[in-house]
């Protein structure tokens, strides 16, 4: 009994130290005046993409971890007090989407669903397969998953390499399908690695991030924010990057004018992932219909950058500028304190931001 008590005390000290460390990181983050950030949920290893149900339950996908979580703030104090594990040992279940009582999860090779999930958070049902004809390639195989305004599921299939000309049409594509898996169609090509998409509230236009290729230098090529308009568009990969840069290997005898240019670009290696157009009323009116983008941060740049959330300002449905909204996850010494992945809005207009480095979800609120 003494040993058990000792171990409980030992691990309790460790957990308390970790919690204090994470709260200390919050003090390093910089936000505009009036905004504050707190920990909404903790102990979510590898937390990545998120989806929210009508009752406020937040579903969280992961990458290498292979788990899918659900977190709930039952007492309404702004901190999740209940965590459920919906599934374990899935194949990089990054993408999650929720619709009409059903949770949809995108693994590398398939989409599955958990029906009536809100009624069975503590005893999740066995998943049913929606679609299982995606490639098994792990390289850029993780997927983002969202329901569009047409009630169809949208996701993308990345390139199975840094730079190559894939031999199958399914690679580098943006696709959509019905929730039951029918009517699968490729609607765009030329997309290297997209892990975020959102629809502009007024125009209903689809915008998605795309991470540029590596090994062309610290500052080339730029990362992309693209706008999809019509079926059949090609966004350039592997022939053209950023709308203006021909690839040194695959861009010969190609013209960048033949491909759809980005709607906006970010600096190279920022790694833009999840994004969200703000619709709520909690933030000042100037934030209405503006785009938040999580920049995961560089992994092989000489001087790292990114590791922040940016606000892309839109005018008449088009991006016109971007600026840091939250920074500080990259310390002045170059030490990485956190890596934002996805952005989600709650019913009260707060923002949730996942961090797969710390395994947490932050909550951003505004007080005039």
């Amino acid at each position: 009994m003494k040993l058990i008590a000792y171990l409980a005390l030992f691990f309790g000290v460790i957990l308390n130290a970790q919690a204090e460390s994470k709260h200390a990181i919050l003090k390093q983050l910089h936000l505009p005046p009036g905004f504050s950030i707190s920990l909404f949920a903790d102990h979510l290893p590898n937390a990545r993409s998120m989806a929210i149900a009508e009752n406020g339950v937040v579903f969280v996908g992961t990458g290498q971890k292979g788990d899918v979580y659900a977190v709930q703030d039952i007492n309404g104090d702004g901190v999740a007090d209940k965590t459920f594990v919906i599934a374990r040992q899935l194949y990089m279940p990054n993408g999650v989407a929720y619709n009409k009582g059903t949770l949809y999860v995108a693994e590398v090779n398939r989409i599955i669903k958990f029906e009536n999930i809100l009624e069975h958070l503590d005893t999740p049902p066995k998943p049913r397969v929606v679609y299982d004809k995606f490639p098994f390639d792990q390289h850029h195989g993780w997927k983002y998953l969202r329901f569009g305004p047409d009630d169809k599921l949208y996701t993308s299939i990345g390139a199975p390499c840094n730079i190559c000309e894939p031999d199958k049409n399914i690679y580098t594509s943006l696709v959509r399908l019905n929730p039951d898996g029918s009517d699968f169609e490729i609607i765009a090509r030329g997309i290297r690695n997209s892990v975020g998409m959102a629809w502009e509230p007024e125009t209903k236009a689809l915008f998605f991030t795309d991470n540029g290729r590596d090994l062309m230098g610290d500052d080339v090529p730029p990362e992309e924010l693209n706008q999809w308009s019509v079926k059949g568009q090609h966004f350039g990969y592997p022939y053209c990057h950023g709308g203006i840069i021909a690839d040194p290997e695959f861009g010969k005898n190609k013209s960048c004018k033949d491909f759809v240019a980005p709607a906006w670009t970010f600096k190279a290696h920022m790694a833009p992932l999840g994004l969200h157009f703000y619709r709520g009323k909690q933030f000042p009116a100037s934030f209405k219909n503006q785009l938040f983008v999580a920049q995961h941060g560089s992994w092989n740049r000489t001087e790292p950058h990114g590791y922040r959330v940016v606000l892309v300002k839109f005018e008449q449905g088009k991006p016109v500028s971007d600026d840091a909204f939250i920074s500080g996850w990259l310390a002045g010494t170059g030490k990485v304190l956190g890596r934002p992945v996805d952005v989600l809005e709650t019913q009260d207009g707060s923002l949730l931001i996942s961090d797969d480095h710390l395994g947490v979800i932050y909550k951003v609120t505004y007080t005039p």
Side-chain angles (χ1 to χ4, degrees), residues 134-174:
F134 293 134
F136 280 79
D137 305 78
Q138 184 170 321
H139 198 129
H140 298 153
W142 46 78
K143 292 172 173 56
Y144 201 74
L145 190 65
R146 282 291 181 263
F147 273 93
D150 54 4
D151 288 330
K152 288 178 176 285
L153 280 167
Y154 286 71
T155 190
S156 60
I157 297 89
C161 55
N162 170 40
I163 185 72
C164 63
E165 198 168 28
D167 57 358
K168 296 179 181 179
N169 285 335
I170 190 65
Y171 293 115
T172 77
S173 67
L174 178 67

Side-chain angles (χ1 to χ4, degrees), residues 9-64:
L9 177 62
F10 175 75
F11 287 110
V13 169
I14 292 178
L15 291 175
N16 287 335
Q18 291 175 340
E20 290 176 4
S21 175
K22 291 174 182 178
H23 282 285
I25 289 174
L26 294 177
K27 298 178 182 179
Q28 306 299 315
L29 303 180
H30 309 289
L31 295 86
F35 288 91
S36 60
I37 187 167
S38 59
L39 283 181
F40 173 73
D42 198 353
H43 307 299
L44 302 173
N46 199 214
R48 287 182 61 86
S49 298
M50 301 179 290
I52 191 167
E54 60 273 4
N55 68 346
V57 171
V58 177
F59 298 100
V60 189
T62 65
Q64 295 285 359

Side-chain angles (χ1 to χ4, degrees), residues 220-289:
V220 180
E223 311 281 39
E224 299 179 1
L225 174 67
N226 291 297
Q227 179 182 346
W228 175 78
S229 301
V230 296
K231 187 176 179 179
Q233 288 180 311
H234 195 294
F235 290 88
Y237 178 90
Y239 314 111
C240 180
H241 311 291
I244 57 173
I245 302 171
D247 187 80
E249 182 178 356
F250 294 95
K252 299 174 182 179
N253 301 319
K254 299 286 184 179
S255 172
C256 285
K257 295 180 180 179
D258 295 333
F259 307 107
V260 180
W264 191 253
T265 58
F266 306 104
K267 290 183 179 180
H269 310 299
M270 288 285 195
L273 301 184
L275 62 163
H276 175 76
F277 284 98
Y278 188 74
R279 293 165 167 79
K281 297 180 180 179
Q282 181 186 137
F283 292 4
S286 60
F287 287 84
K288 187 77 170 182
N289 297 337

Side-chain angles (χ1 to χ4, degrees), residues 4 35 74 77 82-83 128 136 142 253 269 298 309-310 344 354 368:
I4 294 175
F35 288 91
I74 297 175
D77 65 351
K82 193 74 173 179
T83 299
R128 297 179 59 185
F136 280 79
W142 46 78
N253 301 319
H269 310 299
S298 57
V309 174
V310 298
L344 188 70
S354 59

Side-chain angles (χ1 to χ4, degrees), residues 299-318:
W299 66 272
N300 65 342
R301 193 173 187 271
T302 303
E303 293 186 13
H305 66 187
Y307 306 93
R308 61 182 189 166
V309 174
V310 298
L311 178 67
V312 181
K313 293 186 178 180
F314 272 61
E315 293 181 2
Q316 298 181 342
K318 301 294 182 181

Side-chain angles (χ1 to χ4, degrees), residues 340-362:
V341 178
D342 200 13
V343 184
L344 188 70
E345 185 177 329
T346 65
Q347 285 86 345
D348 69 355
S350 301
L351 283 186
L352 300 181
I353 300 166
S354 59
D355 180 337
D356 64 352
H357 181 75
L358 287 183
V360 303
I361 298 175
Y362 309 96

Side-chain angles (χ1 to χ4, degrees), residues 114-129:
F114 297 84
E115 297 175 317
N116 301 315
I117 188 61
L118 297 180
E119 302 171 15
H120 304 285
L121 292 173
D122 53 352
T123 55
K126 183 178 179 180
R128 297 179 59 185
V129 175

